């Protein structure tokens, strides 16, 4: 496998970029020219080789740099990783899910050897080689969820199921699009979606919750969600909003292509075997618009989607200050031609 | 009236007596005393003997209700000077509470939130705690940046009592923190702080 891990930053000098191969496999989220709210959940099945859907847990060229950024976030704010005491079984479930998925998909980088409860985990890119007893927290250097998610791209929350609802009772969240785990932990599905405009009235969350309560073991599901971020900043937390908020005022018609990034979340949900909890993983992919427009189809379509966005969503997604410049810049790439079906590039 | 329709915000349906309870344990603040008096009036002759009340005049103008509560002849009435002292005493009571205890609470929203939070720490499901909102609409606000809690907030914008950032008070509510979220209002344009409006009086 040709994975070469890049050295790059998601803060300060912002050296993050996508290789041409990484651009080609970007999970562009729009399958039509106008914006429409939808639950858009589909089975999380094996996708095309090389795509972000090829394996259940996608590891890409940004892996090592992202894990370094996560460590920096946690050092500055340990509240980004929290777990209520009753979630410990779900934490171990997550260890199993991530270690088995990563070792199976990327054997040259990760190796898991199991002899009953005696496990041996090797993570070559991060230089980790640990033996531990599965289920015995004292045998790991960190609590199980934190241990494994410091080695896996994307945010994770663990949802407990009770009272016909899902409760966000554990998580590690360092690459979020402006939501606070510390604030939302302990909330149920309707509560943590409280601030989302329009969708409650459309019944979106009622349908999604009903669907997820019936999620089956071995049949994970996924969806794509999106927003936009100025600079390739992974940590756009509300906690640090007063530090990154001014980024939004720095967009000019000249620098749109370099500053404005489409931020796509590949969200996946798995039922867990021992705890009956659900893992909700939120993997963040960033692409600057100058990289995105190398696909003429994506350029045209993003222009049309952003132009048709309702004002409530422009506000909710925090696009207000740079939406006009972005639409104008993208308009140069929209020749009015029809776009082909599906989300892939031309 | 409280703002309706915010999904993360608890509902406060009002105090209704649980006839099966062996002990009515009531935590009340300020004007919450009026809800206790109404509950007593609806209760049977055994209500006073089965009822323990923790009461603080608190921050929401509950002057003059202690005498009325005393006149109920309750099994016990504990009047405390402040909300924190009430919570400290209630915490110890809940640690030894027995089966058949029903927890009720009445008062301003910040107080209700803290009693529910305490009850949950003792394993009581929040939905089984009976709640009634009385008195001020003042909010308890967590600064999402420094994590400090500012009590009795009646305005948005409000300065964080801890880090001093100017906070917009959002309608997003955390039961675990018993607080609304406060978010820096001038993060994108430092110094551009809109005038504070008194909207939670």
């Amino acid at each position: 496998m040709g994975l070469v891990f890049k050295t790059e930053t998601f803060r300060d000098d912002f050296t993050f970029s996508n290789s041409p191969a990484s651009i080609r496999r970007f999970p562009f989220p729009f399958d039509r020219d106008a914006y429409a709210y939808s639950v858009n959940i589909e089975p999380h099945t094996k996708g095309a080789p090389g795509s972000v859907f090829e394996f259940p847990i996608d590891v890409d060229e940004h892996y090592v740099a992202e894990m370094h950024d996560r460590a920096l976030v946690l050092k500055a704010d340990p509240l980004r990783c929290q777990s209520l005491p009753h979630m410990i079984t779900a934490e171990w479930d997550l260890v199993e899910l991530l270690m088995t998925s990563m070792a199976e998909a990327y054997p040259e980088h990760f190796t898991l050897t199991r002899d009953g409860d005696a496990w041996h985990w090797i993570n070559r890119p991060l230089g980790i080689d640990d033996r531990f007893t599965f289920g015995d927290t004292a045998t790991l250097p960190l609590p199980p969820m934190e241990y494994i998610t410091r080695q896996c791209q994307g945010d994770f929350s663990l949802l407990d199921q009770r009272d016909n609802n899902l409760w966000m009772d554990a998580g590690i969240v360092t690459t979020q699009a402006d939501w606070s785990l510390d604030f939302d932990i302990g909330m149920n599905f309707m509560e943590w979606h409280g601030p989302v405009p329009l969708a409650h009235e459309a019944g979106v969350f009622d349908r999604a919750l009903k669907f997820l309560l019936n999620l089956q073991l071995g049949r994970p599901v996924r969806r794509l969600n999106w927003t936009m971020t100025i600079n390739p900043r992974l940590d756009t937390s509300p906690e640090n909003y007063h530090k990154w908020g001014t980024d939004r005022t720095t967009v000019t018609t000249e620098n749109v292509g370099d500053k404005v990034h489409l931020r796509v979340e590949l969200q996946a949900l798995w039922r867990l075997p021992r705890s009956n909890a659900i893992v909700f993983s939120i993997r963040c992919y960033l692409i600057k618009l100058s990289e995105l427009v190398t696909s003429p189809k994506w350029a045209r379509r993003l222009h049309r989607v952003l132009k048709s966005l309702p004002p409530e969503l422009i506000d909710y997604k925090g696009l207000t200050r740079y939406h006009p410049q972005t639409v104008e810049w993208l308009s140069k790439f929209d020749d009015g031609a029809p776009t082909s079906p599906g989300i892939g590039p031309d | 009236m409280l703002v309706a329709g915010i999904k993360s915000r608890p509902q406060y349906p009002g105090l209704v007596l649980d006839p099966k309870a062996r002990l009515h344990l009531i935590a009340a603040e300020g004007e919450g005393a009026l809800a206790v008096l109404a509950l007593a009036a609806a209760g049977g002759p055994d209500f006073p003997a089965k009822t323990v009340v923790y009461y603080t005049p608190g921050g929401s103008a509950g002057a003059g209700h202690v005498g009325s509560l005393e006149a109920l002849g309750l099994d016990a009435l504990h009047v405390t000077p402040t909300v924190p002292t009430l919570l400290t005493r209630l915490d110890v009571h809940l640690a030894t509470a027995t089966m058949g205890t029903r927890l009720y609470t009445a008062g301003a929203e910040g107080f209700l939130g803290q009693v529910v939070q305490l009850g949950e720490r003792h394993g009581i499901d929040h939905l089984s705690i009976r709640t009634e909102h009385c008195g001020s609409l003042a909010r308890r606000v967590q600064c999402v940046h420094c994590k400090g809690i500012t009590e009795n907030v009646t305005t948005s914008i409000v300065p964080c009592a801890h880090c001093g950032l100017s906070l917009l008070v959002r309608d997003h509510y955390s039961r675990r923190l018993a607080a609304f979220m406060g978010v820096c209002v001038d993060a994108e344009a430092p110094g551009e702080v809109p005038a504070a409006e008194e909207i939670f009086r």
Side-chain angles (χ1 to χ4, degrees):
Chain A
M1 238 210 71
L3 258 188
V4 177
F5 300 113
K6 296 174 69 180
T7 303
E8 58 192 353
T9 59
F10 302 86
R11 55 180 72 208
D12 305 323
D13 58 351
F14 296 113
T15 60
F16 168 90
S17 67
N18 289 292
S19 68
S22 185
I23 295 172
R24 292 285 301 173
R25 76 198 294 274
F26 188 81
F28 186 75
F30 305 110
D31 67 353
R32 64 195 72 182
D33 284 355
Y35 184 70
Y37 243 131
S38 70
V39 178
N40 65 305
I41 297 178
E42 61 179 14
H44 189 32
T45 48
K46 193 173 176 62
S51 77
V52 302
F53 306 123
E54 180 177 6
F55 300 114
I57 296 293
D58 181 44
V59 173
D60 67 11
E61 64 184 15
H62 309 296
Y63 174 73
V64 173
E66 281 191 30
M67 293 300 94
H68 178 63
D69 194 72
R70 162 157 295 163
L72 292 177
V73 173
L74 289 171
K75 190 181 274 288
D77 182 3
L79 301 188
R80 304 294 187 84
C81 178
Q82 295 189 54
S83 179
L84 302 183
H86 63 276
M87 299 306 285
I88 190 66
T89 306
E91 288 193 35
W92 282 106
D93 275 332
L94 183 63
V95 168
E96 180 181 45
L97 175 72
L98 296 186
M99 285 187 180
T100 54
S101 300
M102 291 164 78
E104 201 168 301
Y106 307 96
E108 67 279 44
H109 298 305
F110 310 101
T111 304
L112 177 66
T113 314
R114 300 201 267 187
D115 177 11
D117 287 340
W119 289 31
H120 182 195
W121 169 247
I122 302 171
N123 178 335
R124 291 179 194 87
L126 297 184
I128 293 169
D129 185 329
D130 282 326
R131 293 170 196 275
F132 61 96
T133 305
F134 187 84
D136 182 354
T137 301
T139 61
L140 278 177
L142 290 167
M145 176 183 72
E146 182 175 352
Y147 176 78
I148 192 56
T149 55
R150 276 175 178 267
Q151 303 178 48
C152 190
Q153 288 165 279
D155 290 338
F156 292 85
S157 65
L158 296 173
L159 315 179
D160 193 34
Q161 180 162 338
R162 59 181 190 275
D163 301 336
N164 270 320
N165 215 322
L166 296 172
W167 302 80
M168 193 184 298
D169 285 345
I172 183 165
V173 177
T174 67
T175 69
Q176 70 274 50
D178 207 2
W179 66 281
S180 168
L181 172 78
D182 179 57
F183 198 81
D184 286 1
I185 194 169
M187 287 189 193
N188 69 38
F189 190 84
M190 293 303 169
E191 290 169 344
W192 84 68
H193 285 113
V196 184
L198 306 176
H200 287 278
E201 290 67 25
V204 168
F205 294 123
D206 292 311
R207 291 200 300 279
L209 176 60
K210 194 175 282 185
F211 179 86
L212 292 177
L213 290 174
N214 290 311
L215 188 67
Q216 301 297 306
L217 185 62
R219 297 175 67 184
V221 298
R222 67 176 173 237
R223 66 184 290 261
L224 294 176
N225 193 26
W226 71 278
T227 184
M228 304 189 93
T229 301
I230 304 309
N231 297 324
R233 188 187 290 281
L234 278 176
D235 176 26
T236 52
S237 59
E239 277 81 0
N240 286 338
Y241 177 41
H242 57 308
K243 298 175 185 164
W244 57 259
T246 51
D247 287 4
R248 287 177 173 166
T249 64
T250 61
V251 179
T252 63
T253 39
E254 288 73 42
N255 66 17
V256 167
D258 203 42
K259 281 261 175 197
V260 180
H261 288 66
L262 181 62
R263 182 186 195 98
V264 174
E265 296 174 350
L266 169 52
Q267 305 179 342
L269 295 117
W270 284 264
R271 178 70 70 185
L272 293 172
R274 299 169 187 78
S275 57
N276 197 45
I278 289 177
V279 183
F280 178 39
S281 68
I282 310 148
R283 169 67 192 280
C284 168
Y285 295 87
L286 289 168
I287 189 170
K288 67 182 70 177
L289 293 191
S290 59
E291 291 171 347
L292 184 121
V293 298
T294 58
S295 160
K297 169 184 167 181
W298 286 351
R300 273 186 213 111
R301 188 171 280 172
L302 184 62
H303 172 243
R304 294 167 196 182
V305 169
L306 287 183
K307 225 168 57 171
S308 64
L309 207 59
E312 293 92 335
L313 282 169
I314 293 175
D315 181 53
Y316 172 67
K317 290 180 184 282
L319 315 182
T320 312
R321 286 182 193 270
Y322 56 91
H323 182 257
Q325 295 98 306
T326 306
V327 171
E328 195 202 321
W329 187 84
L330 282 168
S331 70
K332 294 183 293 187
F333 301 90
D334 188 350
D335 54 7
T339 52
S340 59
I343 63 176
D346 301 293
Chain B
M1 276 301 293
L2 295 169
V3 181
I6 306 303
K7 308 291 176 186
S8 58
R9 177 176 211 148
Q11 305 289 308
Y12 307 111
L15 297 193
V16 178
L17 203 70
D18 176 1
K20 295 204 181 84
R22 290 163 63 188
L23 172 68
H24 307 297
L25 180 56
I26 309 176
E29 177 265 1
E31 296 300 298
L34 298 172
V36 179
L37 296 172
L39 197 65
D46 63 342
F47 177 82
K50 288 172 64 176
T51 301
V52 172
V53 171
Y54 288 82
Y55 179 68
T56 181
S60 66
H65 297 309
V66 173
S68 315
L69 292 172
E70 281 173 346
L72 293 175
L74 303 169
D75 181 51
L77 170 66
H78 305 286
V79 179
T80 67
T82 62
V83 170
T85 52
L86 183 152
L87 295 171
T88 300
R89 288 173 173 275
L90 184 63
D91 188 23
V92 176
H93 189 130
L94 286 171
T96 55
T98 53
M99 290 287 282
T101 301
R102 169 70 67 186
L103 181 59
Y104 307 75
T105 184
E109 188 165 18
F111 176 78
L112 300 181
Q114 291 177 86
V115 172
V116 170
Q117 182 187 47
L118 188 58
E120 285 204 304
R121 280 191 204 140
H122 287 279
I124 306 173
D125 188 282
H126 71 272
L127 291 173
S128 80
I129 301 170
R130 301 192 174 187
T131 53
E132 182 160 333
H133 182 263
C134 307
S136 164
L137 297 176
R139 292 181 168 189
R140 211 167 169 259
V141 174
Q142 189 214 36
C143 172
V144 76
H145 314 288
C146 79
K147 306 296 177 185
I149 301 266
T150 302
E151 302 279 355
N152 295 315
V153 172
T154 58
T155 61
S156 181
I157 316 307
V158 66
C160 173
H162 305 264
C163 69
L165 285 175
S166 297
L167 303 178
L168 174 79
V169 179
R170 292 181 69 202
D171 272 330
H172 198 29
Y173 181 85
S174 164
R175 190 167 43 247
R176 190 181 68 93
L177 301 170
F180 287 88
M181 182 189 275
V183 180
C184 180
V185 74
D186 59 340
E188 297 185 21
E192 280 182 25
V193 179
E197 280 184 82
E198 187 168 50
I199 44 184
F200 316 121
R201 192 179 166 80

